[in-house]
Structure formats: structure tokens, C-alpha cells
């Protein structure tokens, strides 16, 4: 395998650690996150070309706070400390850190001193906004360090010891609220550390496949394939790594959209020799959902039934040791931090929560460091077609949480027909790719209308279209009124049983994207 210069990020538990890794990847550089407890000898063996110390929630003034082996600073490998990382460098090298009376959180205006290579070439040099999020700060830099930037409230907002190649920032260059954060990270990577770029999504695929092959050996792996982009990419990566030692299980729960099963399964069967088992369990799911109106009970019934069906199928396969999941970074609620190390607490993926425990399987999650848009790039690298790459997220419980109230075959069918029109019109108007998600919801009420000369008394469809980056927050999409008009007109004319369409104009929070 081609060798890449490696940057190691030592994680002190910041919520932004993954974002640092992502920015380094965007710069075309291979990066790895390791817990800050990694012994110095193991870190050295990784041969890092640069080391970044992340932020973190602890205070270096606390005696139990995570530390740094000073040996690391004597290797001559360039080091960049961010926030907690900066305070730690100061502590280890004999500077002074003090507790702020208030936590500073938000934007601050940075004043850059002369000759600061790290802060060269900022496009907005005179009014440079940076993002602060800290309690403590350095108020006396260690001997040999110079102050390279300040803000009105933080006299040492950045410091450096050029000879020792140690640089530190009190603010976060990795977040979007810091102007030119990319310039700062590029300065560190390329001008200071002279790291060679060359890492691409193709390298990600290559190294992930090699790692999976090494880890799994000749064991068997099962993977729940939902038809969504995440599980499809996981399946293809594993297929590349271990071929037919992987079995994918697709559970048709009867809650899918029009054409869903055929599109994904059809594609995979046509283009790969993936071991794929499709289980028809629609009747089982629908009969268990009968009479149930409570959203949480509906979700629980579906989750529980999914686990049962999946378990029954998986037991037919011999020597299974691993369960593969398409967990992405936003699904991981705690980073692999110093508290967790190898046993970091993660949120079980909501679709298969409880499965690994029940089946006593180890987890394989090759996408857990990626964000959704990066998964789409991996998908493109794997040659998946656009209609799979750009498919909107679809929840595990499927249309059941979009048929508000009781789920029946008849109501599902009305929703399916309405949803098909929504998808078609979003595509036709070129809005499909611009939005995070767009779908129809069937409301549990009927309203009066008039068709021709007749009074009607029929269902209401709500249209939900949202913009979002990661589904944690979202805003309703300002769709042009012509598009709204077409969708509404077509649904009312073409879908039997619907005489009214409304548009959901709520943001998340306080509303959620799905209605149940
Ligand atoms: P909410 O409704 O919580 O949705 O704002 C956020 C995002 O998550 C999707 N979603 C799910 N995805 N299993 C999933 O795989 C689920 O149980 C589930 N519930 C919500 C939702 O479509 C949106 O993109």
C-alpha cells in the first residue's frame, strides 16, 4: 500500500476532535485520532509528521486532568496545541495557566503579531474573527515562547516556540466560525510541518479495506442492509475486503417507499456478487403494528421485531463473529476520549440497538469517523450511482413514523403514492440535491373539500422539506411557491383519498424532522 505522511491527533475529549481530523483530511493529509493516553513509545512508532493536541473539557489545573509525556516534545516533530492542548503545553513547559472567572464562549476578534508563520496569509487580517470555547487560559507563556496573537480578553491567544516547532492556539481553527481556520491549519501542516499531501478518498477506501481484512481474517460478518447510503457503503467496503465471508441481510418490513427494495437490491445484485439475503417480513411487522397509535410504542415494536427477524436469519449463518454497522460520526455521542479509550461509550445505532449484545457479536464500524458528505464521497469512489449516493436519509422505522397514528395497509399506500410525487417533483425541479430531506407525512385527520360539484371528506398530507448539515439542527426549506404548487396540485389530483396538502414550516429545534 502506498505510504502517506501521517498526522496524529491526540484526543483530550473535545467535541471538535473529529472536526480537526476532518479538516486535515480535507487538506489531503492522512490523519489518525488516538486517545491522549497513548504511550509515547507507541506514538513514536506511528512515525507522525505532525502532532495535534485537541481541546478538551478538563482543566489542566485539576490534578486528575490528562497530561502529556514531555518526551514527545523533544522529538522535533511539529506540535500544535489547540485550547486544552495549548494550556497543557504551557503547563508541561513551565508557563502559567489561570482559571478564568468566566468561561469564554463565542466569537472574539484576533489581533495577529508580526512574524507569526502559523497565522500567515489570513484573508481577513485586520478584523479576524475566531471561535473561543474555554475556561482557563495561559497568562504567562513558557520560556522561549513568543506571543503571536491576542484578543481583547485573552492576552495570549496564540504562542509559539519556533526553534522547537511548538505552536499553540487558544481558539479553535477547526470550526467554521473561525475565519480562515483552513489557512491556519494549512500553514501548520504544509509550511511548518512540511507534510506531504496525497491522501484522498481512494486512499481511505484502500486503507479501510486493508484494515478490515487484517482485523477480520477468515471470520464471518453480517451486515444489515437498509438500502440507505451508509449501510450500502459499509457493505461494499467489507465486500471488497472479505468477499463472500460477508452476508448482508435486507429486511423488508413493509414500511418502505415505492421502488426502494428494487433499486438498491437490484443494483447490488446486478453489479456485485454480494451475499445478500432479502427477508420478506412485511406481514409480521404490519400485524404487530395493528391498533398501535403511540409513536414510541410503534418505534419499539419495529425495533424489537427487526432484531428478532435479523437474529433468526443470522443464526442460519455459521461462525459469525462480527456485526457491521453504518454508524457515522454524528451517531457517536462520545468521542474516543481519554475517559473511554478503547471502551468508549457509543450510542448504539438506533436501527439495530441491542443487536450486538443479544447476538454476542463484535462491532465493525468503518465509517464511524466520517460525516455524511464524506460518506457520499466514499460512495462515489466505490462507483455507486448518483441515485444511491444522493438518496435522502430514510429512518429505520420507515413510513410507520410518517403515517401518524395507526399504520394500516391502506394508509401506507396513500402515503406511498403521495411521497412518490414529492420525490419526483423535487428531482424535476432540481431541489432534491439541495435539501437534506423531503417527504410526505399522512395526518390522522380528515377535512372537507370540494371536487367538481361534490363535497369530499378526506385525508391531509403534510409536506416536510428541510435543510440541514447533520440532522442535529434543521430549518424548513424555502421552496419556491411554483414547486409547492405543483406538488400540492399533483397529490390532490392523483392520490385517491387526499384533498388537502399543508407545508410544515417548523425548524429543529424545537420541532424534529420526522413527525413521530
Ligand atoms: P429527527 O426526527 O430526530 O430526525 O429530527 C433526525 C434524522 O434522523 C432520521 N431518523 C432516523 N434514522 N432511524 C434512522 O436511521 C431512526 O429511528 C430515525 N429516526 C429519525 C430522520 O429521518 C432525520 O434524517
Amino acid at each position: 500500500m502506498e505510504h502517506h505522511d501521517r498526522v496524529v491527533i491526540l484526543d483530550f475529549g473535545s467535541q471538535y476532535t473529529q472536526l480537526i481530523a476532518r479538516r486535515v483530511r480535507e487538506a489531503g493529509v492522512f490523519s489518525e485520532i488516538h486517545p491522549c493516553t497513548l504511550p509515547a513509545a507507541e506514538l513514536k512508532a506511528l512515525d507522525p509528521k505532525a502532532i495535534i493536541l485537541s481541546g478538551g473539557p478538563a482543566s489542566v489545573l485539576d490534578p486528575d486532568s490528562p497530561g502529556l509525556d514531555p518526551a514527545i516534545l523533544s522529538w522535533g516533530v511539529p506540535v500544535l496545541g489547540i485550547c486544552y492542548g495549548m494550556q497543557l503545553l504551557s503547563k508541561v513547559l513551565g508557563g502559567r495557566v489561570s482559571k478564568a472567572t468566566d468561561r469564554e464562549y463565542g466569537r472574539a476578534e484576533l489581533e495577529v503579531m508580526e512574524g507569526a508563520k502559523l497565522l500567515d496569509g489570513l484573508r481577513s487580517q485586520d478584523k479576524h474573527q475566531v471561535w473561543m470555547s474555554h475556561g482557563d487560559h495561559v497568562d504567562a507563556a513558557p520560556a522561549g515562547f513568543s506571543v503571536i496573537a491576542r484578543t481583547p480578553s485573552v492576552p495570549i491567544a496564540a504562542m509559539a516556540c519556533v526553534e522547537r516547532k511548538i505552536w499553540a492556539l487558544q481558539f479553535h481553527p477547526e470550526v467554521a466560525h473561525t475565519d480562515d481556520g483552513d489557512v491556519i491549519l494549512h500553514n501548520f501542516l504544509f509550511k511548518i510541518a512540511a507534510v506531504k499531501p496525497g491522501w484522498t478518498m481512494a486512499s481511505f477506501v484502500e486503507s479501510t479495506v486493508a484494515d478490515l481484512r487484517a482485523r477480520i481474517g477468515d471470520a464471518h460478518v453480517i451486515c444489515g442492509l437498509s438500502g440507505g447510503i451508509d449501510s450500502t457503503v459499509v457493505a461494499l467496503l467489507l465486500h471488497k475486503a472479505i468477499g463472500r465471508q460477508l452476508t448482508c441481510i435486507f429486511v423488508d418490513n413493509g414500511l418502505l417507499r415505492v421502488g426502494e427494495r428494487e433499486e438498491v437490491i437490484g443494483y447490488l445484485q446486478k453489479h456485485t456478487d454480494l451475499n445478500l439475503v432479502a427477508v420478506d417480513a412485511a406481514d409480521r411487522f404490519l400485524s404487530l403494528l395493528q391498533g398501535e397509535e403511540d409513536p414510541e410504542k410503534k418505534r419499539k415494536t419495529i425495533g424489537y421485531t427487526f432484531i428478532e427477524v435479523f437474529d433468526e436469519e443470522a443464526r442460519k449463518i455459521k461462525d459469525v463473529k462480527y456485526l457491521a454497522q453504518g454508524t457515522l460520526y454524528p451517531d457517536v455521542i462520545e468521542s474516543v476520549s481519554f475517559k473511554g479509550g478503547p471502551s468508549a461509550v457509543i450510542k448504539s445505532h438506533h436501527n439495530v440497538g441491542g443487536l450486538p449484545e443479544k447476538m454476542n457479536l463484535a462491532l465493525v464500524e468503518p465509517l464511524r469517523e466520517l460525516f455524511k458528505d464524506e460518506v457520499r464521497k466514499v460512495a462515489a469512489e466505490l462507483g455507486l450511482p448518483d441515485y444511491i449516493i444522493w438518496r435522502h436519509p430514510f429512518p429505520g422505522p420507515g413510513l410507520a413514523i410518517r403515517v401518524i397514528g395507526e399504520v394500516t395497509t391502506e394508509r401506507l399506500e396513500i402515503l406511498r403514492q403521495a411521497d412518490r410525487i414529492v420525490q419526483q417533483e423535487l428531482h424535476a425541479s432540481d431541489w432534491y440535491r439541495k435539501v437534506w430531506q423531503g417527504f410526505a407525512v399522512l395526518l390522522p385527520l380528515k377535512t372537507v373539500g370540494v371536487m367538481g360539484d361534490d363535497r369530499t371528506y378526506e385525508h391531509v398530507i403534510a409536506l416536510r422539506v428541510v435543510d440541514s448539515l447533520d440532522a442535529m439542527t434543521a430549518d424548513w426549506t424555502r421552496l419556491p411557491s411554483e414547486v409547492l404548487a405543483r406538488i400540492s396540485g399533483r397529490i390532490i389530483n392523483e392520490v385517491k383519498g387526499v384533498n388537502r396538502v399543508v407545508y410544515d414550516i417548523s425548524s429543529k429545534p424545537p420541532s424534529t424532522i420526522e413527525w413521530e
Side-chain angles (χ1 to χ4, degrees):
M1 196 169 69
E2 199 188 334
H3 178 77
H4 295 285
D5 278 3
R6 181 193 328 244
V7 171
V8 171
I9 300 162
L10 286 184
D11 178 27
F12 291 88
S14 165
Q15 54 174 325
Y16 299 133
T17 303
Q18 293 293 340
L19 213 45
I20 304 174
R22 178 194 172 127
R23 300 289 175 234
V24 176
R25 290 198 289 270
E26 282 172 353
V29 173
F30 177 64
S31 73
E32 273 180 9
I33 297 173
H34 288 272
C36 57
T37 47
L38 184 76
E42 287 179 35
L43 175 56
K44 195 165 194 185
L46 294 171
D47 187 25
K49 292 290 176 277
I51 297 169
I52 299 178
L53 313 176
S54 83
S59 163
V60 295
L61 301 169
D62 177 348
D64 298 331
S65 59
L68 182 74
D69 188 335
I72 292 171
L73 304 175
S74 64
W75 299 337
V77 176
V79 173
L80 173 66
I82 296 174
C83 196
Y84 183 88
M86 164 159 169
Q87 293 145 19
L88 189 57
L89 285 169
S90 176
K91 179 180 168 185
V92 171
L93 297 168
R96 194 174 65 231
V97 176
S98 41
K99 216 165 201 51
T101 36
D102 293 313
R103 227 186 129 73
E104 187 180 11
Y105 186 78
R107 287 188 174 79
E109 202 163 298
L110 193 76
E111 188 190 333
V112 177
M113 319 297 189
E114 287 293 307
K117 204 175 186 180
L118 183 64
L119 304 172
D120 263 1
L122 299 183
R123 290 178 279 255
S124 48
Q125 196 90 32
D126 43 341
K127 260 194 177 293
H128 191 79
Q129 300 281 327
V130 296
W131 186 255
M132 291 282 190
S133 167
H134 65 110
D136 305 339
H137 62 265
V138 175
D139 63 4
F145 274 73
S146 49
V147 177
I148 57 170
R150 62 176 166 229
T151 71
S153 61
V154 181
I156 309 183
M159 61 179 196
C161 177
V162 178
E163 304 85 80
R164 298 184 68 186
K165 301 185 193 154
I166 301 174
W167 300 77
L169 300 169
Q170 180 60 67
F171 57 89
H172 292 272
E174 69 277 20
V175 307
H177 305 296
T178 292
D179 293 341
D180 301 340
D182 56 336
V183 176
I184 300 174
L185 287 171
H186 284 214
N187 284 343
F188 176 67
L189 295 170
F190 304 126
K191 290 193 183 160
I192 293 168
V195 174
K196 282 196 276 313
W199 188 87
T200 57
M201 277 303 166
S203 333
F204 173 85
V205 170
E206 194 187 344
S207 62
T208 304
V209 166
D211 290 349
L212 287 169
R213 201 174 282 145
R215 177 172 169 204
I216 294 165
D218 51 15
H220 281 257
V221 181
I222 48 171
C223 175
L225 195 74
S226 69
I229 175 93
D230 308 341
S231 60
T232 308
V233 166
V234 167
L236 286 182
L237 285 171
L238 277 155
H239 180 61
K240 255 177 163 329
I242 56 167
R244 298 198 44 104
Q245 280 160 250
L246 168 75
T247 304
C248 289
I249 301 174
F250 177 87
V251 176
D252 184 345
N253 55 14
L255 304 165
L256 303 172
R257 290 170 291 187
V258 175
E260 190 133 41
R261 178 172 172 173
E262 297 72 15
E263 269 182 18
V264 176
I265 300 283
Y267 173 85
L268 291 172
Q269 281 174 338
K270 187 155 170 221
H271 296 278
T272 71
D273 71 334
L274 197 76
N275 229 332
L276 188 63
V277 179
V279 191
D280 235 318
D283 292 346
R284 186 159 162 183
F285 278 87
L286 294 181
S287 69
L288 286 166
L289 284 170
Q290 215 172 6
E292 192 50 76
E293 291 182 4
D294 180 76
E296 267 316 289
K297 289 195 183 137
K298 280 161 67 176
R299 276 180 173 271
K300 291 221 168 84
T301 302
I302 295 164
Y304 168 81
T305 311
F306 177 84
I307 290 179
E308 272 189 358
V309 173
F310 192 89
D311 190 34
E312 286 164 20
E313 284 309 313
R315 280 180 199 287
K316 297 179 189 161
I317 305 160
K318 289 211 174 55
D319 304 325
V320 177
K321 249 179 99 180
Y322 296 98
L323 173 71
Q325 284 186 181
T327 317
L328 305 192
Y329 178 62
D331 304 325
V332 177
I333 51 174
E334 273 193 47
S335 62
V336 187
S337 68
F338 63 94
K339 276 192 252 158
S343 59
V345 184
I346 56 154
K347 176 173 132 186
S348 327
H349 201 251
H350 30 212
N351 301 336
V352 289
L355 251 185
E357 298 80 4
K358 182 177 161 88
M359 301 181 66
N360 199 19
L361 296 174
L363 276 180
V364 176
E365 300 176 308
L367 307 180
R368 58 175 281 138
E369 289 183 359
L370 301 190
F371 291 78
K372 190 87 173 180
D373 58 319
E374 293 182 301
V375 176
R376 291 197 160 123
K377 290 186 187 139
V378 178
E381 186 57 43
L382 289 166
L384 281 166
D386 275 2
Y387 68 85
I388 294 182
I389 297 177
W390 290 101
R391 182 183 276 267
H392 289 170
F394 186 63
L399 297 180
I401 57 171
R402 295 180 181 170
V403 168
I404 307 306
E406 191 190 355
V407 181
T408 63
T409 317
E410 182 229 349
R411 305 183 72 211
L412 275 172
E413 196 44 37
I414 294 176
L415 179 60
R416 258 187 207 114
Q417 293 313 320
D419 192 68
R420 185 176 55 92
I421 293 172
V422 175
Q423 308 307 321
Q424 285 172 348
E425 290 302 325
L426 288 176
H427 279 296
S429 59
D430 277 339
W431 275 87
Y432 188 86
R433 275 215 203 173
K434 292 186 216 158
V435 304
W436 172 264
Q437 238 173 332
F439 55 86
V441 179
L442 179 67
L443 305 192
L445 79 160
K446 289 188 169 182
T447 68
V448 173
V450 51
M451 263 192 207
D453 292 330
D454 290 331
R455 173 188 186 274
T456 58
Y457 184 57
E458 289 179 327
H459 293 288
V460 183
I461 285 285
L463 176 63
R464 182 72 163 145
V465 187
V466 296
D467 300 322
S468 176
L469 285 175
D470 52 13
M472 316 277 272
T473 59
D475 198 6
W476 58 279
T477 303
R478 273 50 170 183
L479 277 184
S481 51
E482 312 83 74
V483 179
L484 290 170
R486 260 197 81 72
I487 293 175
S488 158
R490 279 196 60 197
I491 291 177
I492 293 170
N493 279 310
E494 295 175 33
V495 183
K496 211 162 157 281
V498 176
N499 68 357
R500 189 176 299 274
V501 174
V502 295
Y503 192 39
D504 181 348
I505 51 171
S506 336
S507 62
K508 172 184 180 177
S511 305
T512 51
I513 296 177
E514 302 290 345
W515 278 42
E516 284 193 338

